[in-house]
Amino acid sequence: MKTFFNIEDLGDLRTALSEAQEVKQNRFGYQQLGKNKTLLMIFFNNSLRTRLSTQKAAMNLGMNVIVLDVNAGAWKLETERGVIMDGDKSEHLLEAIPVMSSYCDIIGIRSFAGLTDRNFDYAETIVNQFVQYSGKPVFAMETATVHPLQAFADLITIKEHKPIARPKVVLTWTPHCRALPQAVPNSFAQWMNRADVDFVVTHPEGYELDPRFVGNARVEYDQHKAFEGAHFIYAKNWSNPGVTNPAEYGKITCQDMNWTVDAEHMAWTDNGYFMHCLPVRRGLIVTDDVIEGAHSLVIPEAANREISAEVVIKRMLEAL
Ligand code: CP
């Protein structure tokens, strides 16, 4: 595997899920694969889970790991061509990429959406330059539009907890005080569309996700109706994707607190599980009792990030 951004990069989903199960039972079984190999993890943004789980996965595989926080200790990077670099950015990404890639065998990259220019974000301008100019396998640790390691971990978690063969999974928009990217809901929708689940998306009108990710998934604007009979509730805020009105891209156009997942919402489900990728703002996304309740899966989800990362890095090592 040379790149990991979308579900297609993983090939057959059943095979990948079986591999995840096997890796979880034998997570130190492939140490020879990573011997004398280096993973470079590049962060343009903050992270807790991605940073720790991906590093742990690489160490499980016997790799050396270098972590670079671009905005803390490195030169500030210019990402656009044709600019006169007379501001605070001292180095261009086009020099930095081949330099960084000369020190490693595999690159993980985290780069959030700017949320001001939809075309720039959805073209994945930054990560595509890494793919084009690094000459190394590159995987997403969350980009402007996707977070596949999270979606893979979420699917592993759903498989481990599903009460019936084809569970109902609901992705619900929830309110938030800051404008957040659409990467997590995009990838979750993309992956659920391919998984053996009954998938429903619910959000206020105007918050439609990009068609290339939401595909033909059922969209239900009535959150109560969407939750009925659900086995898994996946809560997430996202800012306006600008699909119905491009001028609203990246903006907060709804703050309706009726969408916050509380015990009454969960009572509409079929004894459903609560899921969220974390970090989560309590009181906005979910109430304390729900996230702390017996049917909260937020900790197992986070733990499975180690597994999704290990499968992806293992496959990249096997293809070197
Ligand atoms: N879920 C997730 O990616 O968490 P971090 O932002 O802490 O990495």
Side-chain angles (χ1 to χ4, degrees):
M1 189 161 57
K2 292 283 182 206
T3 57
F4 180 65
F5 295 100
N6 294 298
I7 193 165
E8 290 76 22
D9 297 323
L10 208 55
D12 180 67
L13 202 49
R14 276 175 194 269
T15 306
L17 285 167
S18 299
E19 191 172 337
Q21 190 176 6
E22 198 274 322
V23 162
K24 192 164 182 171
Q25 286 160 0
N26 185 26
R27 58 189 84 191
F28 302 107
Y30 303 92
Q31 292 241 318
Q32 281 306 312
L33 267 180
K35 189 172 158 49
N36 296 333
K37 297 285 187 288
T38 300
L39 171 67
L40 174 59
M41 297 165 59
I42 303 168
F43 288 89
F44 285 84
N45 305 92
N46 295 337
S47 164
L48 187 151
R49 277 143 294 275
T50 304
R51 176 184 296 260
L52 297 180
S53 63
T54 310
Q55 182 162 357
K56 176 68 163 60
M59 293 190 305
N60 291 350
L61 291 161
M63 296 186 82
N64 302 309
V65 182
I66 304 172
V67 181
L68 178 70
D69 289 293
V70 171
N71 296 321
W75 302 112
K76 272 198 167 183
L77 294 176
E78 177 59 65
T79 57
E80 297 195 43
R81 293 185 72 244
V83 295
I84 296 172
M85 289 172 54
D86 58 358
D88 63 342
K89 293 172 178 168
S90 306
E91 181 156 19
H92 202 285
L93 199 58
L94 292 179
E95 284 80 59
I97 290 173
V99 170
M100 291 190 281
S101 70
S102 72
Y103 306 138
C104 67
D105 300 282
I106 297 174
I107 296 173
I109 178 93
R110 159 151 317 190
S111 169
F112 276 3
L115 295 179
T116 53
D117 181 342
R118 186 175 204 283
N119 291 334
F120 183 88
D121 288 344
Y122 273 74
E124 290 289 3
T125 310
I126 292 177
V127 295
N128 280 337
Q129 292 186 77
F130 276 90
V131 173
Q132 194 174 351
Y133 299 114
S134 72
K136 297 287 158 67
V138 178
F139 65 93
M141 301 195 298
E142 187 169 355
T143 70
T145 65
V146 293
H147 198 354
L149 287 175
Q150 183 65 53
F152 188 14
D154 295 332
L155 184 56
I156 294 166
T157 311
I158 287 170
K159 184 183 171 221
E160 289 172 342
H161 291 85
K162 65 182 184 181
I164 61 171
R166 193 167 190 277
K168 180 176 178 181
V169 177
V170 177
L171 167 63
T172 181
W173 178 92
T174 45
H176 205 274
C177 54
R178 294 185 59 201
L180 299 184
Q182 296 110 39
V184 169
N186 281 345
S187 283
F188 190 74
Q190 184 186 58
W191 285 62
M192 288 304 119
N193 280 332
R194 282 273 301 274
D196 191 14
V197 301
D198 173 17
F199 181 50
V200 179
V201 184
T202 185
H203 55 72
E205 291 194 39
Y207 271 76
E208 287 74 16
L209 293 166
D210 190 290
R212 88 185 79 161
F213 296 108
V214 78
N216 294 323
R218 184 150 52 101
V219 177
E220 171 57 69
Y221 296 111
D222 182 331
Q223 193 189 30
H224 189 152
K225 268 194 202 161
F227 274 43
E228 281 171 358
H231 302 101
F232 296 91
I233 298 298
Y234 195 93
K236 185 73 184 81
N237 170 266
W238 61 91
S239 60
N240 194 308
V243 170
T244 51
N245 181 358
E248 293 184 333
Y249 175 66
K251 295 190 167 38
I252 298 173
T253 53
C254 179
Q255 289 182 303
D256 187 349
M257 296 289 285
N258 290 316
W259 287 77
T260 301
V261 178
D262 61 13
E264 187 186 336
H265 285 69
M266 293 306 291
W268 301 335
T269 71
D270 184 3
N271 204 23
Y273 287 103
F274 176 82
M275 299 180 74
H276 188 278
C277 62
L278 303 179
V280 70
R281 297 223 184 197
R282 293 181 179 210
L284 291 171
I285 303 278
V286 61
T287 53
D288 293 316
D289 52 342
V290 170
I291 196 166
E292 293 172 10
H295 270 219
S296 171
L297 292 180
V298 296
I299 306 305
E301 272 179 273
N304 277 331
R305 289 290 306 275
E306 177 183 339
I307 307 306
S308 63
E310 185 162 342
V311 171
V312 168
I313 299 167
K314 172 176 168 286
R315 286 188 176 195
M316 288 188 159
L317 286 167
E318 286 166 344
L320 281 179

